[in-house]
Amino acid sequence: MALDLNANCLPTARTVADLRDQVKVWRADGLRIALVPTMGALHIGHMSLIEEAKKHADKVIVSIFVNPTQFAPHEDFDAYPRTEKTDSELVKDHGGHLIYAPSGTEMYPDGFSTSINITGITNGLCGDSRPHFFGGVAIVVSKLLLQALPDVAIFGEKDYQQLQVIKRMVADLNIPVEVVGAPLVRDEDGLATSSRNKYLTAQDRQQGLALHKALANVATLVKNGKTAADALKASEAILNDAEITSWDYFEVRDASDLTLVDGPVTRPARAFIATQVGKARLIDNWPIDPA
Ligand code: AMP
């Protein structure tokens, strides 16, 4: 085994073979293993996934891989923050056990030709505004799961549609891993934590606060008896006041199958938003109880 060992950092596996060697040792000791897939630039949202992982397993692997196949050519693949050393220290401080940070060619060697197409649950939301996105997520997540074969994998509700897509794919492909969702984590000012928040100026960040305020307002108005469409319409004022006048989506959807809800909310639902703020495309979502 050739794990990368740096002072203050965790052991890092860079190849599938090294990852599997370590997993094999843990399996021989009868230990349960969790995987937390990430693209790095880790923050408190990712740390909450590690905390959740520790509840389900003895050993926690955090993968760090900025996955090129989920970025369109005009998106921020090159600019995406890469902070592996501090990421590794953070994971160590929070009780993780191994970083898995494969290279691009380890994940996608010459001749790589496979794609995964998930229908239904990928309709709408990010599936519409980033048409390449879920294909890229599906291929990288299925590879990571099959490479590590953990007992459990943890994903955040910050990417709520992605969590539902992964649950669907894992069930459809009989991948023998339990998928667990973890709640969305916010900074003290209410902004959903995200690696892309690094792109925001102080002014952008102030503007970005309108997202969760608008979502929370939708939930309150629905609780007070408004239809989803009316609650959304009324909450646009909060976005407009922050000079946010366009968005990829600002919608209410069923919390489990993600079908669009316009009228009265009679089952658990969720309000979703995605919009560009400064250099960052921000997404957020908020639970809605039926009226
Ligand atoms: P990323 O590194 O952005 O691809 O995210 C890796 C994982 O962390 C995904 O499962 C995300 O949903 C999750 N995650 C990112 N931000 C948050 C957050 N603010 N709260 C909870 N989970 C998050």
Side-chain angles (χ1 to χ4, degrees):
M1 192 185 323
L3 295 182
D4 230 355
L5 298 164
N6 288 313
N8 300 325
C9 294
L10 279 179
T12 300
R14 301 209 178 264
T15 64
V16 178
D18 288 344
L19 171 70
R20 287 188 171 153
D21 279 350
Q22 178 60 80
V23 167
K24 207 166 156 185
V25 170
W26 287 335
R27 289 271 176 235
D29 287 340
L31 300 175
R32 273 178 67 81
I33 297 166
L35 175 68
V36 178
T38 82
M39 296 206 301
L42 302 181
H43 49 72
I44 55 171
H46 297 114
M47 296 308 115
S48 75
L49 304 189
I50 296 175
E51 297 302 335
E52 184 64 32
K54 288 194 290 189
K55 294 183 199 158
H56 297 267
D58 306 296
K59 297 290 180 186
V60 177
I61 304 168
V62 175
S63 65
I64 298 177
F65 181 66
V66 185
N67 175 39
T69 62
Q70 69 192 67
F71 290 77
H74 65 278
E75 292 181 344
D76 57 340
F77 175 74
D78 289 330
Y80 200 85
R82 288 160 172 89
T83 57
E84 192 188 302
K85 187 166 181 298
T86 43
D87 289 350
S88 182
E89 289 166 0
L90 262 180
V91 174
K92 187 178 186 189
D93 288 348
H94 286 79
H97 300 91
L98 179 74
I99 302 288
Y100 174 47
S103 66
T105 48
E106 181 72 6
M107 290 298 272
Y108 299 111
D110 278 352
F112 189 90
S113 309
T114 299
S115 58
I116 299 177
N117 180 30
I118 299 160
T119 57
I121 196 91
T122 55
N123 290 337
L125 301 174
C126 288
D128 280 2
S129 45
R130 303 182 73 193
H132 56 282
F133 178 66
F134 285 121
V137 167
I139 202 70
V140 79
V141 170
S142 57
K143 281 176 70 74
L144 291 168
L145 295 180
L146 293 169
Q147 289 168 351
L149 275 183
D151 297 284
V152 58
I154 318 290
F155 296 87
E157 288 185 346
K158 159 86 184 342
D159 300 271
Y160 194 88
Q161 187 182 23
Q162 171 177 283
L163 171 62
Q164 310 310 318
V165 168
I166 289 166
K167 282 184 174 166
R168 181 77 258 162
M169 178 186 77
V170 164
D172 288 354
L173 297 181
N174 305 104
I175 299 177
V177 174
E178 182 192 355
V179 174
V180 169
L184 190 157
V185 173
R186 298 178 183 282
D187 276 327
E188 267 177 27
D189 59 8
L191 191 72
T193 59
S194 163
S195 306
R196 288 191 169 95
N197 291 353
K198 284 189 167 46
Y199 301 151
L200 300 175
T201 63
Q203 199 183 344
D204 295 338
R205 201 179 158 97
Q206 273 312 111
Q207 202 181 17
L209 298 182
L211 271 65
H212 79 273
K213 289 180 185 160
L215 294 172
N217 196 57
V218 171
T220 304
L221 293 179
V222 165
K223 202 157 187 57
N224 294 341
K226 282 216 187 297
T227 63
D230 287 348
L232 287 163
K233 194 80 213 136
S235 304
E236 283 183 10
I238 296 175
L239 299 171
N240 293 335
D241 284 350
E243 293 178 16
I244 297 173
T245 52
S246 66
W247 37 84
D248 288 350
Y249 52 78
F250 180 41
E251 293 174 353
V252 173
R253 291 188 171 249
D254 185 275
S256 53
D257 65 15
L258 297 187
T259 50
L260 206 54
V261 181
D262 272 335
V265 178
T266 54
R267 304 197 314 164
R270 212 126 184 144
F272 294 89
I273 192 164
T275 187
Q276 193 73 25
V277 174
K279 290 200 172 101
R281 179 180 182 273
L282 300 183
I283 63 170
D284 200 349
N285 67 86
W286 197 277
I288 302 182
D289 297 327

